[in-house]
Amino acid sequence: MEPSKLVDGCRFGDQTTSDVRVCFKRIDEQAEWFCCHSSVLSKNSKHFADQLSQSGAGSNNSCIEVDCPSVDYEHYVKLLKLLYLPGESIVDSFGSVKSAVGVLRASTLLKCELIAGSCIEYLEAASWDEKEEEEILQVAQSLGSEAVPLLARLQAPGAYAVKNVFISAIRFATSMESASPPFLDDLKTSAQEQIDFMLHEDDDDAALVTMDGDVRSVAREGLTKLLSALKTELELLTSEFDRSPEQAEQSILCSLADVDWMASVLTKIEMMNEFVSGWSEISGYVLSVVQDEKYSSVLWAAKAKLIEVTGKALDAVGYGSVVLPASSRVHFLQMWLPFLQTTKRLLDEKTKDETASQMDADLFQNIESAIISMVLALPSGDQADILAEWMKKAEQFRYPDLTEAFEVWCYRSKTAKRRLVGGLNGAGNPTVSFST
């Protein structure tokens, strides 16, 4: 970049009018001298002004040497040329963030306020990548209050702003139709990913968004929308399946994936009770559709996804993060156990035939553990009913294996009987009755 206009009647590099030479010294590099003008240098750089006052400005032999890192050499030379540009033209001279950062670094050391201000103006309006951002942060540490405009985009947003973005993202991610244009699908996926990121917390980072009544209300509303969308897809399944079985199943899978994602969100914000309640309400209809004879040998991907989603509800109830009355727990188990048993056996057979992808063994193990925990938390009579039904089908269905629950039930029953007998034989002691 060569200055096209004169500043104070001077042109950079003009030997006929130059009264000072500048050299940027680099280690193990040959020195290169630039013909400059003391009036331009002293006017635009406090560093050069100080150097010229010490060496005697105006002397034809005036020379200024500046130590310069090799990596920044081009930026120092560019800064020298910028001193000859009118102030209003400087911002337009930067062709990249890298160039502006380098010149800003040089102008800070050489105390060129006008150039530094133009660099900041350019960078404030430009987009940065992650590496450039780190470099800008390093330079900004030496700028003081001048860096405020530059760092405005990096300031932590207020809680109100974060909440507004989070609520908008939840509403967008839970209000999409299944037949959306591809770019909107991508945007929905991005919204879901960023919601997960905003909620993530570990030893190093706290969650970005703070839960309050508004956030919980929008999350509850989003769950309702997604469950309603799933029900709508299931209602359309018969007609859509006749036209295109693959497309019909894909629509169901998309809805289930959204519900599964929402369950993960609700886990993070401690609202799994809402998910379990909503999933329990819709379970009867879901099972009535997918267990229809018409779909007995199809929809395997959708059925596998159903098991995955249901597993999250079983896990929440089985391990006590969601508290339900015993009658509700019994009802939920009795609804889903037959489907789990039948589908697991058929999926295993299809996996052997290599006609279906194998499901995660850990997922089934976790579901089995949750079911055992649920069974053992029921009244003994309900446990007996479930275990008796399980043993009737144990030869046909090896999953879930409730042997552990059966053994514990037997031990508890015998212990309870012993307590009852001991209470009846005790003299003058009040008894507590344990029915089996």
Side-chain angles (χ1 to χ4, degrees):
M1 181 273 305
E2 293 293 340
S4 58
K5 297 181 180 180
L6 296 176
V7 174
D8 296 333
C10 303
R11 186 183 297 276
F12 176 75
D14 187 350
Q15 296 183 21
T16 61
T17 58
S18 170
D19 61 352
V20 62
R21 293 189 304 160
V22 175
C23 173
F24 297 119
K25 294 170 55 180
R26 295 170 291 170
I27 299 176
D28 298 330
E29 295 283 347
Q30 185 175 355
E32 182 178 4
W33 292 90
F34 299 95
C35 296
C36 300
H37 302 80
S38 58
S39 61
V40 175
L41 297 183
S42 59
K43 177 182 178 180
N44 295 291
S45 167
K46 291 182 179 180
H47 176 82
F48 285 136
D50 292 341
Q51 292 292 313
L52 288 167
S53 66
Q54 295 173 13
S55 62
S59 171
N60 289 332
N61 295 321
S62 294
C63 298
I64 300 175
E65 293 184 344
V66 178
D67 291 328
C68 170
S70 295
V71 293
D72 281 337
Y73 180 75
E74 292 182 4
H75 303 308
Y76 275 72
V77 175
K78 183 179 180 69
L79 178 142
L80 206 56
K81 296 177 181 180
L82 290 175
L83 296 178
Y84 284 79
L85 278 182
E88 65 273 10
S89 302
I90 296 175
V91 171
D92 297 331
S93 70
F94 298 114
S96 67
V97 170
K98 179 181 179 181
S99 175
V101 172
V103 173
L104 177 58
R105 194 158 41 233
S107 63
T108 301
L109 293 173
L110 298 179
K111 300 178 181 179
C112 304
E113 294 182 0
L114 178 63
I115 304 295
S118 298
C119 292
I120 291 172
E121 183 180 350
Y122 175 86
L123 292 170
E124 191 277 329
S127 59
W128 318 328
D129 62 28
E130 189 173 352
K131 182 179 179 181
E132 291 166 342
E133 182 174 302
E134 290 300 321
E135 293 181 1
I136 290 171
L137 285 171
Q138 290 178 5
V139 177
Q141 292 176 2
S142 62
L143 294 178
S145 60
E146 296 174 1
V148 172
L150 185 60
L151 301 179
R153 74 178 72 176
L154 302 179
Q155 293 177 348
Y160 182 76
V162 172
K163 185 174 84 169
N164 278 348
V165 171
F166 184 83
I167 286 176
S168 296
I170 284 281
R171 284 176 173 159
F172 183 85
T174 58
S175 62
M176 297 291 296
E177 300 295 333
S178 60
S180 302
F183 79 93
L184 286 181
D185 285 338
D186 292 342
L187 187 54
K188 181 185 78 171
T189 300
S190 176
Q192 292 180 348
E193 290 173 350
Q194 295 313 309
I195 288 168
D196 291 338
F197 181 76
M198 293 170 77
L199 291 173
H200 176 75
E201 57 181 322
D202 53 29
D203 294 338
D204 298 322
D205 294 306
L208 184 59
V209 65
T210 302
M211 291 300 106
D212 62 15
D214 293 336
V215 173
R216 294 180 185 280
S217 176
V218 171
R220 192 177 298 111
E221 175 187 328
L223 173 65
T224 300
K225 288 180 179 178
L226 293 179
L227 292 177
S228 177
L230 174 61
K231 187 173 182 180
T232 299
E233 293 293 346
L234 291 170
E235 290 171 348
L236 296 172
L237 182 59
T238 300
S239 59
E240 295 295 329
F241 189 84
D242 292 338
R243 282 197 292 267
S244 174
E246 294 81 7
Q247 184 58 46
E249 182 172 25
Q250 186 58 37
S251 295
I252 299 294
L253 277 172
C254 287
S255 287
L256 283 171
D258 287 341
V259 172
D260 186 42
W261 165 77
M262 195 64 191
S264 298
V265 170
L266 295 174
T267 299
K268 294 174 182 175
I269 61 178
E270 299 181 353
M271 289 183 63
M272 272 302 281
N273 59 313
E274 298 287 344
F275 174 74
V276 171
S277 176
W279 192 243
S280 296
E281 289 179 11
I282 198 176
S283 289
Y285 180 74
V286 170
L287 289 169
S288 70
V289 173
V290 298
Q291 292 186 120
D292 189 282
E293 184 64 28
K294 180 178 182 178
Y295 311 116
S296 60
S297 58
V298 292
L299 300 180
W300 295 114
K303 290 174 181 177
K305 191 64 179 179
L306 268 177
I307 291 176
E308 185 178 346
V309 174
T310 303
K312 291 188 174 181
L314 289 168
D315 186 85
V317 177
Y319 294 108
S321 59
V322 173
V323 178
L324 293 178
S327 58
S328 298
R329 283 176 275 145
V330 170
H331 178 66
F332 193 77
L333 276 174
Q334 290 177 337
M335 268 198 305
W336 281 102
L337 265 177
F339 175 79
L340 291 170
Q341 291 173 314
T342 302
T343 306
K344 176 66 165 63
R345 178 173 63 82
L346 294 174
L347 282 172
D348 288 345
E349 291 175 359
K350 291 182 70 63
T351 300
K352 291 177 184 178
D353 298 336
E354 297 184 354
T355 56
S357 57
Q358 186 171 4
M359 286 194 69
D360 186 358
D362 289 340
L363 170 66
F364 282 110
Q365 182 59 51
N366 291 340
I367 291 175
E368 182 176 271
S369 297
I371 291 173
I372 291 172
S373 181
M374 282 184 70
V375 170
L376 291 176
L378 292 172
S380 58
D382 293 322
Q383 291 184 47
D385 292 341
I386 291 173
L387 291 171
E389 190 65 25
W390 166 70
M391 282 185 283
K392 289 177 185 177
K393 301 177 179 179
E395 251 184 75
Q396 183 181 4
F397 302 111
R398 298 183 180 275
Y399 182 86
D401 182 358
L402 301 183
T403 303
E404 178 186 346
F406 176 50
E407 292 172 352
V408 173
W409 179 86
C410 289
Y411 175 79
R412 284 178 175 173
S413 297
K414 201 161 194 177
T415 301
K417 182 68 72 176
R418 191 183 305 121
R419 288 195 191 102
L420 180 60
V421 171
L424 291 174
N425 293 335
N429 294 323
T431 62
V432 179
S433 175
F434 295 90
S435 58
T436 59

